[in-house]
Amino acid sequence: MTLDRVELPDLWKLSWRDVDPAARPAVDRADVAEVVRTLPPVAEMPPAGADLRVTGFWYDRMTAALVERLGVWVAGWKYTIEVEDHKEYGLIPLWRAVPPPVTTPAETLARLADSVMAWDELLAELATDAGDRFAAITQPVLDDTGDSPAWRAVQRNPKRIVFPESGAHRLPHPSKLSWADADPTGRVFDRDTVPGVVAAAVASAELPSPDADWRLADLWLEQVTTSLIDRYGLWTVGWRWSVGEGDLDGGPVGSWCCFSDSVTTPEATAAKVSAAVVEWHEWLEDLAERFDRFLPLPAGDLDGWELAVAHLLTAVGDRTQYESGWYGCCRTVLGWFLAAADIGATRRKELLDHALAGRFERWVEPPRAVVESVAEHIAKGQAAGDRA
């Protein structure tokens, strides 16, 4: 399958003239079925059960080919439209993307042709709204453009658009790791093996270009990360938690930014991934050393707790450079510290929710008084509550 990005018409910017069935030749079900069967991307149809990111990308390529053959109106073939009573906005149009599942070639192409015909029928309905299905959200047309009032109604904002689950993000975000997952203590990790492991992972799948479709980039990153997990353990998911607005946002890793900025040649990309894996492990080692510096801490040692929490807040801030959502990393590290101090999961969440809520901002280093206040809240909270 080609890895080029697919440029599609912006459905939300199409005029009624673009989609009006009266402005183009009528389509016939048999003709549409034949067009669908003969589109070039058919030859690269994913197999049944393929990742939804792969099938979604393939459907984009089919859509581009359909637009070339039938016209821009067909760009909305995967959508249905209903009227929804929204709790905040009242009656609004609900657009739902419903691409058919990829099964056998014959079934998949037949369903796609049926969807194209269903979209054509929906546009014919929108031309007059003969069944008054959209009357409740339609406003009078005050000009003489001849635009369909129902089309205007379903295109205007507010509207709600529902997409199918992409199947992405099946690996946990590093913030979801437990300290047991992340703790490097006792772990056997030979950093000299990383370049070879990463090089093999990069070579095992075609490297998309830096401006590739996000789904292809996401799949490639997942494949590389899965190879690292298989070799070294779940902790390696953190190699992409980069500083600033990178792949995972607001993290401590400087060796990797994001797919679009960090991917070049396979060799140079593998070198960056390797450096990021080693850097992430070094950060975990640094945290373990800092934890050991303060623990164990008696619950009643408020000064000790305040000092430890303030120290960790500052360490995370320095490492993340307070960029983007840096405080997400801060919450994770404090949670790991509380776990290392044998404070239970429920109590940890209560402490962090109470101490951190609304205290930090994106891209902003907090005043020292705020850091001390957070440290004080956690110190007093852990002393006052049940540690289980």
Side-chain angles (χ1 to χ4, degrees):
M1 180 182 295
T2 179
L3 301 183
D4 295 334
R5 183 184 295 272
V6 180
E7 299 294 338
L8 297 175
D10 187 344
L11 182 61
W12 318 118
K13 294 182 179 179
L14 296 184
S15 68
W16 177 244
R17 208 165 298 171
D18 292 322
V19 299
D20 184 3
R24 56 178 165 80
V27 291
D28 174 81
R29 186 172 296 273
D31 290 341
V32 167
E34 179 61 21
V35 166
V36 168
R37 285 195 297 269
T38 57
L39 294 176
V42 168
E44 296 181 343
M45 182 187 299
D51 187 285
L52 292 181
R53 288 166 289 188
V54 173
T55 60
F57 182 70
W58 178 76
Y59 272 129
D60 280 359
R61 297 188 62 232
M62 290 291 284
T63 301
L66 281 168
V67 168
E68 186 175 347
R69 291 286 297 274
L70 298 178
V72 72
W73 68 270
V74 80
W77 68 266
K78 69 177 69 171
Y79 287 95
T80 63
I81 309 174
E82 304 164 12
V83 175
E84 175 190 49
D85 191 0
H86 192 277
K87 62 182 180 181
E88 182 177 354
Y89 300 111
L91 294 175
I92 61 170
L94 168 64
W95 291 70
R96 181 175 280 113
V98 193
V102 173
T103 53
T104 67
E107 290 175 342
T108 303
L109 298 178
R111 293 191 190 105
L112 175 52
D114 288 344
S115 296
V116 171
M117 292 306 302
W119 174 246
D120 181 61
E121 291 164 5
L122 176 56
L123 292 175
E125 180 187 3
L126 288 168
T128 61
D129 195 20
D132 291 333
R133 193 156 67 96
F134 305 103
I137 60 172
T138 301
Q139 298 173 346
V141 176
L142 303 178
D143 55 48
D144 59 357
T145 61
D147 285 359
S148 160
W151 175 254
R152 288 188 177 187
V154 299
Q155 280 281 62
R156 75 167 187 265
N157 289 321
K159 60 176 172 281
R160 194 157 76 92
I161 306 166
V162 180
F163 296 98
E165 284 292 327
S166 68
H169 310 305
R170 291 178 294 184
L171 297 177
H173 189 282
S175 65
K176 303 301 181 184
L177 295 176
S178 68
W179 180 237
D181 295 324
D183 185 4
T185 305
R187 178 186 297 145
V188 177
F189 174 63
D190 183 356
R191 65 194 63 204
D192 292 337
T193 65
V194 173
V197 171
V198 171
V202 170
S204 67
E206 184 175 354
L207 178 62
S209 65
D211 62 347
D213 183 279
W214 73 268
R215 290 163 294 195
L216 299 177
D218 198 67
L219 274 169
W220 184 86
L221 289 165
E222 184 177 284
Q223 289 173 322
V224 170
T225 304
T226 299
S227 295
L228 291 168
I229 291 171
D230 290 344
R231 176 63 176 82
Y232 299 113
L234 186 60
W235 64 270
T236 53
V237 296
W239 73 267
R240 294 170 53 207
W241 201 0
S242 49
V243 173
E245 294 180 322
D247 274 347
L248 301 182
D249 191 78
V253 176
S255 301
W256 179 269
C257 169
C258 51
F259 188 89
S260 59
D261 285 351
S262 298
V263 166
T264 52
T265 65
E267 295 76 15
T269 302
K272 285 194 173 184
V273 174
S274 299
V277 172
V278 172
E279 184 182 357
W280 171 247
H281 192 264
E282 289 174 346
W283 169 242
L284 296 179
E285 289 179 320
D286 180 74
L287 288 178
E289 189 277 326
R290 292 176 191 270
F291 291 1
D292 288 344
R293 196 183 307 171
F294 292 101
L295 296 175
L297 268 172
D301 184 2
L302 298 187
D303 289 342
W305 274 94
E306 288 186 33
L307 180 62
V309 172
H311 170 85
L312 292 172
L313 284 170
T314 303
V316 173
D318 289 345
R319 184 64 176 245
T320 61
Q321 301 172 44
Y322 300 98
E323 290 196 8
S324 195
W326 66 275
Y327 45 79
C329 184
C330 186
R331 181 185 178 103
T332 298
V333 168
L334 291 180
W336 287 346
F337 180 69
L338 294 174
D342 293 326
I343 294 178
T346 300
R347 185 59 184 151
R348 291 200 302 269
K349 183 177 184 307
E350 291 173 350
L351 285 170
L352 295 174
D353 286 348
H354 178 66
L356 299 179
R359 306 303 301 277
F360 300 138
E361 298 179 54
R362 294 171 62 88
W363 303 99
V364 176
E365 179 179 353
R368 186 63 191 176
V370 171
V371 172
E372 292 173 351
S373 174
V374 169
E376 181 182 5
H377 274 81
I378 292 178
K380 290 182 177 179
Q382 63 76 35
D386 183 354
R387 297 169 68 86

